[in-house]
DNA sequence: CCTCCCATCCCCTGTTCGGGGGAGATTGCG
DNA sequence: CGCAATCTCCCCCGAACAGGGGATGGGAGG
């Protein structure tokens, strides 16, 4: 039994999504709908779902809140954003909140059905343009070196920490070294990357895949 | 006519990929192979291809260089990384260099065939685990607000610039305001985002979709 | 043995930043 | 009209940072 939640304010689109869900998940399923943020949050708190299709633009708020709520109460729920808004800011916000997919409603039904049916295999449901947008987020027009960029092991450790916003003192404590040593490593990093500030270092750290899970020291 | 380049050092895997390419691109195609970085770069410079399957781990270098070369000489070429290396650093490096896909060789042939055949529709060829990894790059376990985070227009402008590593003085010049005003906006940004350093600001800027194309001031 | 690289520590300097005040101008809303 | 928000600019100060110098060890390799 697949339990599905559809969050969408417009009645006809809600019906359209319901039809898509019925085709995409051919096992016996149970579809519930919500037209407002309030209703969606209530449903999310009361019941548990296997899949959720969430519109971002709700009359009384943003679907991001539904997504966050579902993530908290039941992390296994597969949450897919279904919207017309393709702004980078919303894409990033949805992914940050842990969306398993991001589909644009302008797509033909059969494409959405196919994407949703692949969800169970662990394949994220992403509209082509969204996937491309996400990948372009990583694009870099400057020189792309090998992942290590000739940084030594210790330097990469320091870079990862200062890019999280930690101060030299905190990095020193974290890595059990003197603050002066941290400063020395940072100088080497700056020289190798051709930069001269922590903000640039943070940018490069993300590019080098030393991605911080979250900031703050 | 689809012109395909396969870059792979191991003969049997090269043969395996050739078979996959033949199935994925059913139009009349022409498949060329290269076993080393040297050979691949030579081929990339001489001929032009519609699709390239590139292994990262070549005996005389990294497939990233092939990718970069193809991107420069013919940007329309669809470049897909086919490898066993799933490190975040390599994924980010490949995407930074402009890869159109990233497939793990451990996957069954039919999955790879399907992903490659969807390439022409603009759907990036990503192994499920890779796609998930990419999406997790955006994940954030802390409080996720709305995309604007209540930042005013001017504040977002300042944030975008300082996250690129620019100094207050440079931001002031860029936005035609006094350095003291920049400092004031930064204080507001820090208060609203609950942070206290530029590195954290840079992190949040990326999260808010104010993604810098490249750093430097 | 000597050299190169890495990591560790210390000194020094000037600049930048973070954070605390206050103050005037403009806009929009009730 | 008063009120709130935004943008603009100024003052101050201490802490943190950027960048230069030099010194000590330990390995790797010629």
């Amino acid at each position: 039994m697949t339990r599905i939640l559809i969050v969408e304010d417009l009645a006809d689109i809600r019906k359209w999504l319901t039809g898509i869900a019925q085709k995409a998940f051919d096992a016996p399923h149970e579809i519930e709908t919500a037209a407002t943020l309030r209703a969606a949050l209530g449903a999310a708190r009361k019941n548990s779902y296997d899949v959720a299709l969430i519109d971002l633009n709700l009359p009384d708020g943003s679907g991001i809140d539904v997504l966050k709520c579902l993530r908290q109460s039941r992390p296994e729920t597969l949450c897919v954003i279904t919207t017309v808004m393709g702004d980078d800011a919303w894409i990033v916000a949805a992914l940050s909140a842990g969306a398993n997919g991001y589909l644009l409603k302008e797509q033909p039904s059969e494409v959405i059905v196919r994407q949703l049916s692949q969800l169970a295999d662990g394949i994220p449901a992403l509209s082509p343009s969204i996937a491309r947008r996400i990948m372009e987020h990583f694009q870099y027009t400057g020189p792309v070196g090998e992942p290590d960029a000739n940084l030594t092991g210790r330097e990469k450790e320091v870079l990862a920490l200062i890019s999280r916003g930690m101060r030299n003192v905190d990095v020193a404590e974290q890595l059990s070294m003197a603050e002066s040593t941290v400063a020395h490593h940072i100088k080497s990093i700056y020289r190798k990357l051709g930069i001269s500030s922590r903000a640039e270092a943070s940018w490069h750290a993300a590019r080098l895949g030393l991605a911080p899970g979250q900031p703050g020291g």
Side-chain angles (χ1 to χ4, degrees), chain A residues 10 25 40 54-55 74 80-82 91-92 103 105 145 168 184 193 210:
Chain A
L10 300 176
F25 309 100
I54 306 169
D55 181 34
R74 192 166 179 277
V80 178
I81 301 295
T82 53
I91 297 173
V92 173
L103 296 173
K105 285 187 263 192
N168 290 4
H184 176 84
L193 294 181
L210 307 172

Side-chain angles (χ1 to χ4, degrees), chain A residues 179-216:
Chain A
E179 192 179 339
S180 55
T181 307
V182 176
H184 176 84
H185 286 309
I186 291 178
K187 277 187 274 192
S188 301
I189 294 168
Y190 285 2
R191 189 166 22 82
K192 289 182 181 177
L193 294 181
I195 58 178
S196 63
S197 77
R198 304 165 98 76
E200 288 173 289
S202 177
W203 192 94
H204 278 273
R207 188 178 68 77
L208 294 174
L210 307 172
Q214 54 193 304

Side-chain angles (χ1 to χ4, degrees), chain A residues 4-22:
Chain A
I4 304 170
L5 174 64
I6 295 179
V7 182
E8 168 65 54
D9 55 330
L10 300 176
D12 48 348
I13 296 186
R14 200 162 57 236
K15 215 168 282 182
W16 178 68
L17 284 174
T18 306
I20 287 178
Q22 282 170 341

